[in-house]
């Protein structure tokens, strides 16, 4: 029978507490949908730095290589901000993991749920129209990984893209749009960047294979503006690495509910890293009040994308939806709420 | 007595209509504050392409070289979107003007005026706290002007910054902060980019000369998020060329009043280009309903920064404020309003 090995990298701050709830949920759906799971924890981020001096120890990387997917919590905190950039918890773990496993495709959904429109920092006249976007971000190319260097008086970074890199992420965006509202907005700065011109040409060619999907191009500056003015106009946003970094966080801010937003980072053979969109929130760590939903929904994405366990993924998503409707939520969603991390996790488990 | 020569590049769409009002206002303050003005029009953007084939004809550039400042309207429209990037109205005029005159410093203020907080697409619980930011954007370096190129299958762009380039823009930001709320938030992506690490180091060194100013660093992705969640936390934002392009438009969206926002692009000898933050708005061009205030406030910035005519600049700003308070505004500010472009211009002139 089916069995999946999962590397569990809980990390820092609220990571361990929310991960504990996701693990409980996974155990229940494994039982219900009859598959086996082995969850193996490993050190990452600041916790790993403290124990080994490295944000991504060799043993952790080795475990990931021998697993079917990575369930990632969150990393970082004030303790480690003074370190050199490539030693820092977030960058020092996420960038090598993305590169090692060729996780070129980052998916970050962002919604304004009608029932929770008031969570959004947007005006009700805007938020009441809703938002339901999927940000498809290229994750292993661009200015993140191009040649870079510096002297005492100068520095440079290179943004590089090939047609092949653009094609594979564009295909993901169009395929996703066919299962959503059939619209792709491709983000670039083609009035300034050569990589953007190549991006635009390539995306237009890929679009020909998806005649049912409407393609529109938008400059990054205009997109940063339009997302605030009328986020309901968007369906799938297709972005390079840097623009996707910026817009996916802007989308998360607009949704107003970081604690509800999962993400998936995939390669072409279905391997993936799954993590909540929010950070390690050191200010509330250890208090039992962190929202576990983004971590639990990240686990659902893992079941869907890496294991093809669609029914189990949907069961989790429905259980989460049910709890939201019953207002069984943590304080970030409802300041009056008395439910904590464990109570919300337990309610989702009970619903399942 | 003092006399200033101004190159007037009205451009396309609503450019000419709003420029006409700014010219009237300038004539009145010149008279009142006793300086001479010569306003010489020249072709730019789509209008110039239609007449000469070039978005920035040699004659226009020559006029600018012989002027004390450039008052710019807006350029572009659907007619010219099919052109190659460097022939397009906006890019083809603005980038060469910035480079020719070394306009390294772009200033874009963005406010949520308490009386007009409802213009903002942000929720009243956020917008009622107000926003008063000045975006200081480096405008002649970075990925805009670095080496770039492409083959059939690859493309690249280079972001390059020198300490000298960073220093001069940082000084502007700190000096501006001393006249505002003494806070600079420097935007970078120092966890990924070498140019950002150099940026951060250099900004910290410059900060030592401004002990009264608080410096904070923020990653671009977090800034895109924080601006939406709590824009009132910011005073001066210091950005490189690309990040400033994105955040200044995000700020404009948050202000909700593009028609009120001016901008200044300066070099180190006081020469500058002044333009409204909004675009050419071809959909409403020729209807007499465009908001002239951003263009008029851009003229005020010209008086302040290029000519040192502080009293005249303030007189314009106060007259604009007065009209806003009297609700003498165009429809973009108040949909029920019956005031058009000329009526608002006339009211500002009358107030003066
Ligand atoms: C930590 C950092 C390098 C990373 C990125 O910029 O990709 C983060 O912001 C993210 O979006 O996952
Ligand atoms: C037209 C374009 C090249 C320009 C820029 O990106 O700088 C514009 O967006 C701006 O902000 O003035």
């Amino acid at each position: 029978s089916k069995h999946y090995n999962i590397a569990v990298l809980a990390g820092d701050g609220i990571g361990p507490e929310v991960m504990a709830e996701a693990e409980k949920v996974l155990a229940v759906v494994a039982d219900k949908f009859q598959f086996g799971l082995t969850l193996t924890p490993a050190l990452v981020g600041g916790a790993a730095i403290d124990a080994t001096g490295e944000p991504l120890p060799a043993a952790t990387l080795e475990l990931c290589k021998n697993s079917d997917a990575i369930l990632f919590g969150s990393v970082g905190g004030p303790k480690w901000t003074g370190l050199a950039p490539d030693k820092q918890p977030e960058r020092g773990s996420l960038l090598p993991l993305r590169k090692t496993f060729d996780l070129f495709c980052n998916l970050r959904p962002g919604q304004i749920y009608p029932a929770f429109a008031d969570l959004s920092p947007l005006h009700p006249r805007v938020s009441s129209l809703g938002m339901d976007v999927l940000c498809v971000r290229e994750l292993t190319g661009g200015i993140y990984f191009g040649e870079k260097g510096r002297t005492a008086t100068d520095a440079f970074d290179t943004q590089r893209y090939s047609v092949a890199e653009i094609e594979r992420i564009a295909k993901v965006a169009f395929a996703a749009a066919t299962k959503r509202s059939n619209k792709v907005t491709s983000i670039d700065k083609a009035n300034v960047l050569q990589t953007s011109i190549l991006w635009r040409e390539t995306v237009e060619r890929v679009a020909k294979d998806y005649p049912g999907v409407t393609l529109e191009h938008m400059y990054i500056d205009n997109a940063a503006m339009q997302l605030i003015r009328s986020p309901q106009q968007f369906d799938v946003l297709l972005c390079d690495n840097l623009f996707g970094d910026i817009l996916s966080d802007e989308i998360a801010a607009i949704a107003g509910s970081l604690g509800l937003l999962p993400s998936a980072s995939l390669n072409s053979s279905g391997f993936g890293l799954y993590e909540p969109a929010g950070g390690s929130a050191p200010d509330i760590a250890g208090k039992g009040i962190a929202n576990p939903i983004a971590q639990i929904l990240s686990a659902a994405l893992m079941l869907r994308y890496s294991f093809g366990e669609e029914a189990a993924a949907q069961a989790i998503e429905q259980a989460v939806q049910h709890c939201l409707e019953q207002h069984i939520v943590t304080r970030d969603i409802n300041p009056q709420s008395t439910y904590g991390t464990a109570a919300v996790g337990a309610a989702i488990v009970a619903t399942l």
Side-chain angles (χ1 to χ4, degrees), chain A residues 104-330:
Chain A
F104 72 92
C105 169
N106 182 231
L107 302 177
R108 269 179 68 176
Q111 288 100 18
I112 297 178
Y113 297 98
F116 294 93
D118 209 51
L119 284 177
S120 170
L122 294 190
H123 197 287
R125 72 174 177 262
V126 184
S127 62
S128 63
L129 303 175
M131 169 174 83
D132 184 1
V133 304
L134 176 67
C135 184
V136 177
R137 169 186 175 196
E138 201 290 325
L139 204 58
T140 48
I143 204 162
Y144 276 64
F145 295 99
E147 204 196 335
K148 48 191 75 207
R150 66 168 290 184
T151 65
T153 57
D154 271 278
F156 76 97
D157 295 278
T158 316
Q159 157 129 313
R160 202 174 275 282
Y161 270 111
S162 69
V163 166
E165 283 176 301
I166 302 167
E167 262 172 16
R168 67 176 181 173
I169 192 71
K171 283 179 188 165
V172 173
F174 282 96
T178 62
K179 295 186 185 163
R180 296 172 44 97
S181 303
N182 290 302
K183 182 173 171 190
V184 169
T185 304
S186 175
I187 307 302
D188 64 42
K189 187 78 190 175
N191 48 355
V192 173
L193 304 180
Q194 286 290 333
T195 44
S196 283
I197 296 173
L198 188 68
W199 183 275
R200 207 175 257 225
E201 288 171 10
T202 306
V203 170
E204 290 199 341
R205 214 167 44 242
V206 170
K208 297 216 173 81
D209 293 335
Y210 301 86
V213 178
T214 305
L215 167 64
E216 127 192 304
H217 301 284
M218 194 176 278
Y219 294 139
I220 175 67
D221 46 335
N222 191 26
M225 184 178 271
Q226 294 300 328
L227 272 169
I228 296 171
R229 291 166 72 125
S230 57
Q232 78 287 350
Q233 73 186 279
F234 297 105
D235 177 21
V236 174
L237 282 167
L238 169 59
C239 304
D240 73 15
N241 205 344
L242 182 63
F243 295 158
D245 179 48
I246 299 168
L247 291 191
S248 61
D249 268 13
E250 185 173 338
I251 290 165
I254 290 170
S257 52
L258 263 191
L260 301 179
L261 301 176
S263 81
S265 302
L266 309 169
N267 70 16
S268 53
S269 48
F271 185 87
L273 180 155
Y274 301 85
E275 59 171 331
S280 60
D283 49 319
I284 61 162
K287 298 191 178 160
I289 59 172
N291 192 339
I293 289 181
Q295 188 74 59
I296 289 167
L297 290 175
S298 296
L301 294 184
M302 175 181 74
L303 295 175
R304 170 173 298 127
Y305 293 123
S306 284
F307 307 154
E309 296 284 354
E310 180 62 30
Q314 283 188 20
I316 294 176
E317 287 163 351
Q318 279 158 15
V320 166
Q321 198 58 48
H322 181 78
C323 285
L324 289 175
E325 280 158 15
Q326 304 295 309
H327 299 278
I328 303 174
V329 291
T330 42

